[in-house]
Each structure stands twice: as structure tokens, then as C-alpha cells.
Amino acid sequence: MKHLLSERDLNRAQFDYLVERARTLKKWFREKREYKPLKGKVLGMIFEKASTRTRLSFEVAMIQMGGNAIYMNSRDTQMGRGESIADTARVMSRYLDAIMIRTFAQEIIEEFARHATIPVINGLTDLLHPCQVLSDVFTIVEKKGSYEKLKLAFIGDGNNVANSWLNVATILPIHVRIACPQGYEPDQEIFRRAQREAIEGIVLCRDPKEAVQDVDVIYTDVWTSMGKEEEYEKRIQVFQSYQVNSKLLTYASRDVMIMHCLPAHRGEEITSDVLDGRHSVVLDQAENRLHMQKAILEMLLTEDNL
């Protein structure tokens, strides 16, 4: 694997490797064990979207493993003044050991990777969020023991995280149900491919109560993603019946796990009592971004690259 642009850049063996490696790196972190495999390595981080967890997890991961990270806002680089993606990728490849990009269009990061001679990592696009779902799979294994035949319901907007879970369903034996309003479905191409290739199957439905029946995990995300702020008022109305709240949980199993990639808009897609309740693993989920980023960086930047 040279780049991580999509979940489908990985096979099941690589998923398993990264999960187990993240587990080990988390254990070493808790034991305060020093581990510096990235000494002398530099990660460039290009941000066209605001970030808390992505920036912190990648930057801290590099520092803790002996390397360095450089934050670049696209408005402060020559890309913001019209330099081509190809030229930027070629030049940055001469300075850096890897590049992480958080941007809007998936095409931007794919073009960047075509011209870069170093690993490129998708830190989020409007289409996909692979680093998030990788750490989510790690969290599921950590909490549930396995992902085998796990059932996950994604409630809300068919956004980049929903698309990524559909991709995961084509690689791992996880059954995925998406409950969303009409007109807010996941990407059509990704959905059709998942219909053909999902190992345990996928379901698209309109009723959240139907979606959460007998699932192991309920997952939600904000109703209005970055870049769609002008749709906020409309979306608040459209998604009202898709809130993850205590009433919805009565239709789910007693040991269901609640996941949210954060940031959360409390009182909108999820209520505070559920987000902070006994079923929620959102803080562990957020912490695990750090350990999974370490595993990803180690895989791409050392001889452990599968």
C-alpha cells in the first residue's frame, strides 16, 4: 500500500494488521514505553477544512513516534494562489516523507497522489473518511471482541462516514444499515458497489426504528457537514425524526454501543443523555484516532508496509 485514499486501498489482512498494531501501540502508550520508529521523518498536513481530532491525532502521533509534523492551511500556501496540484505534490515530495490532506473533493487528493512520490493519506474528503472508520473498527474490536458478523446501523445523513462504512462492508463481514431521509442517501456509485460486494449485506431504509433492530452498534454524525452550512435550517427540519435519543434506544438491543465521530451537535443528531450515557464509547473512539494514526503512519513510513 503506497497511499491511503480510500478504505478500498486496504484488504482484510491489512485492516486486521492495523487494528492489532493500533492495539499494541495503545498498550505501549499506556505503559509509557518510548517508541520512536519515525525519527527524522516529517509529515506535511494540508487543511482546507477545520479540524480538531484529525490534526491533533496526526500531529501527536508523529511527535510521540519521534517524527515531526508541519501544519499547512491551503490559504497560506501557493495552492491558494493557483499553483497546480501536480506541481505542489511534486515539490512537497522533495521536502516531506508523507502528506496528509483534509479537503473537499476526493478528486483533489487522488490527483495529489498521482503526482506525489511519497505516501498520501486521506484525512477526510466530502466523499470518504477512511482514517475515521479504521479507528472505529479498532474501537469495535476493542469493545466487542470482534467485527465478525457485526451489525451496524448508521442513522442520519448519507455523508462521507456513511460512504466509508459501505466500503468497509465490502472488505469485512459487517452488516451495515443506513437510515436516512429521501434525497440524503449515500453516494450512488458506492452504494451500488456495496449492494454487489458487501460480505454480510447492506440495507437502506427510511425508518430509524427499523434500522436499529438487533444491531450491535448505532452510529450517527452531524446532519450538516462542513461545506453545507447554507442547508442548515432545511436539514434541521428534514432530519428531526432521525435523532439518536433514549426513545430510539428502546428499539435496539440492551447492550447496543453508541458511536459518533464527533464533533457532536447535542440536541440535534444525538441527545446529551445518550452521548454521555452508558452505551456511548465516543471518547474511547476519539482517543483511538491517535493510536490508529500511529499504526497508519508506521505502515506507510517503515519497512512494516504490507
Side-chain angles (χ1 to χ4, degrees):
M1 182 181 74
K2 181 179 180 182
H3 306 297
L4 179 56
L5 310 183
S6 163
E7 304 76 23
R8 288 174 62 87
D9 290 332
L10 300 165
N11 56 39
R12 181 171 175 175
Q14 289 169 320
F15 257 89
D16 289 342
Y17 172 85
L18 286 169
V19 167
E20 288 307 310
R21 193 62 185 155
R23 189 200 297 268
T24 297
L25 293 168
K26 183 174 183 177
K27 179 176 180 288
W28 291 353
F29 173 76
R30 294 287 175 85
E31 295 170 349
K32 301 187 185 306
R33 173 173 170 175
E34 188 173 283
Y35 179 59
K36 307 287 186 183
L38 302 185
K39 185 177 180 180
K41 303 287 188 181
V42 181
L43 172 71
M45 304 187 302
I46 301 174
F47 285 85
E48 290 191 308
K49 289 190 174 189
S51 172
T52 299
R53 280 150 292 275
T54 298
R55 178 178 177 180
L56 279 173
S57 58
F58 272 105
E59 195 162 342
V60 172
M62 285 298 294
I63 293 168
Q64 289 183 355
M65 292 202 294
N68 289 283
I70 299 173
Y71 170 85
M72 294 172 282
N73 186 303
S74 64
R75 293 186 298 273
D76 300 329
T77 69
Q78 294 298 331
M79 283 179 66
R81 299 181 65 248
E83 184 172 30
S84 72
I85 294 171
D87 287 346
T88 303
R90 293 185 187 108
V91 171
M92 287 188 175
S93 294
R94 301 292 182 101
Y95 296 145
L96 302 166
D97 297 286
I99 301 168
M100 186 279 295
I101 306 176
R102 185 176 172 94
T103 187
F104 290 90
Q106 181 75 13
E107 291 76 15
I108 292 174
I109 199 165
E110 290 178 356
E111 182 177 357
F112 209 103
R114 281 195 296 272
H115 298 282
T117 57
I118 57 177
V120 176
I121 301 168
N122 181 352
L124 174 144
T125 66
D126 286 347
L127 187 69
L128 298 172
H129 202 352
C131 295
Q132 178 66 57
V133 295
L134 272 164
S135 64
D136 292 339
V137 171
F138 169 38
T139 303
I140 287 168
V141 172
E142 187 178 57
K143 300 295 183 182
K144 295 285 189 180
S146 173
Y147 56 67
E148 289 280 352
K149 298 187 182 300
L150 181 121
K151 296 177 182 177
L152 181 144
F154 187 96
I155 311 298
D157 186 28
N159 62 10
N160 49 6
V161 179
N163 290 333
S164 285
W165 274 112
L166 290 174
N167 276 344
V168 169
T170 69
I171 304 163
L172 305 180
I174 295 176
H175 173 75
V176 175
R177 301 175 191 168
I178 309 283
C180 63
Q182 189 167 0
Y184 296 89
E185 295 86 358
D187 178 81
Q188 289 187 6
E189 181 179 345
I190 290 174
F191 181 77
R192 285 195 295 266
R193 183 173 60 210
Q195 282 184 308
R196 295 191 306 268
E197 301 179 17
I199 298 166
E200 289 294 323
I202 62 165
V203 172
L204 177 66
C205 62
R206 302 300 176 199
D207 187 352
K209 297 189 293 293
E210 175 188 343
V212 303
Q213 295 279 345
D214 301 319
V215 297
D216 304 288
V217 176
I218 297 174
Y219 200 119
T220 192
D221 193 4
V222 295
W223 292 337
T224 307
S225 298
M226 286 179 286
K228 298 184 182 295
E229 287 81 4
E230 73 281 357
E231 301 177 16
Y232 177 76
E233 295 299 333
K234 179 182 178 183
R235 285 172 173 263
I236 288 293
Q237 298 302 315
V238 170
F239 284 94
Q240 276 188 351
S241 62
Y242 290 83
Q243 184 183 75
V244 176
N245 52 38
S246 57
K247 183 177 180 181
L248 183 65
L249 263 60
T250 64
Y251 296 92
S253 57
R254 296 183 66 181
D255 63 346
V256 71
M257 193 164 76
I258 302 298
M259 302 185 80
H260 191 307
C261 55
L262 301 180
H265 291 177
R266 293 170 180 262
E268 291 182 13
E269 76 276 1
I270 191 167
T271 56
S272 288
D273 63 319
V274 173
L275 190 68
D276 300 327
R278 66 182 182 88
H279 296 280
S280 175
V281 297
V282 297
L283 293 180
D284 293 312
Q285 192 183 349
E287 179 192 347
N288 284 343
R289 291 288 304 277
L290 169 63
H291 309 298
M292 180 52 72
Q293 314 307 32
K294 287 182 181 179
I296 292 167
L297 290 164
E298 182 189 53
M299 174 185 273
L300 290 171
L301 293 175
T302 72
E303 295 303 314
D304 289 326
N305 193 341
L306 291 186

